[in-house]
Amino acid sequence: MKSRLESLLEMLEQQPFDSFLLYGIALEYMAMNDDEKAEEYFKELLEADPGYVPAYMQYASLKINQNEIEDAKFLLRKGIKLAREKNDRHAVNEMEDLLDELE
């Protein structure tokens, strides 16, 4: 039986610029503690779709785990700005709370 990651990677071959798939793959790598691969997919996602708000919170969490706090703050501030533009109050609140914890 295929793992969730294997399934997502296969789907990505068919839909190479699917933001949801890139996000899911990054999260799978995070869960496996493969920070390098997770970061690779977060970067690819945000390059292809800089408006994908959920990626900022998760990518910032990855940066916190890597003790790269300034990078995490940068991502959170950028994500908050985008979430405000999209009127996504839930995402704004989550990211503001995390940013407050870091400052």
Side-chain angles (χ1 to χ4, degrees), residues 5-90:
L5 178 59
E6 289 170 327
S7 296
L8 290 170
L9 289 168
E10 280 185 10
M11 287 188 273
L12 189 64
E13 287 178 20
Q14 304 301 314
Q15 303 166 30
F17 300 107
D18 185 292
S19 299
F20 183 73
L21 291 174
L22 291 167
Y23 180 70
I25 291 166
L27 293 180
E28 286 298 312
Y29 280 120
M30 273 183 74
M32 296 165 53
N33 295 315
D34 189 339
D35 292 353
E36 190 175 310
K37 291 296 276 185
E39 186 162 11
E40 178 183 319
Y41 281 92
F42 279 129
K43 284 180 178 178
E44 185 176 339
L45 167 58
L46 292 176
E47 190 174 300
D49 186 359
Y52 198 82
V53 173
Y56 291 91
M57 176 80 172
Q58 293 302 321
Y59 193 8
S61 295
L62 176 68
K63 288 299 190 179
I64 292 166
N65 291 341
Q66 296 173 324
N67 205 31
E68 296 180 21
I69 305 305
E70 292 308 312
D71 288 346
K73 289 178 184 179
F74 173 81
L75 288 163
L76 289 168
R77 288 184 187 110
K78 192 167 182 180
I80 290 165
K81 182 178 184 286
L82 282 165
R84 281 193 179 123
E85 290 170 5
K86 294 180 177 223
N87 289 323
D88 186 343
R89 282 303 313 157
H90 179 74

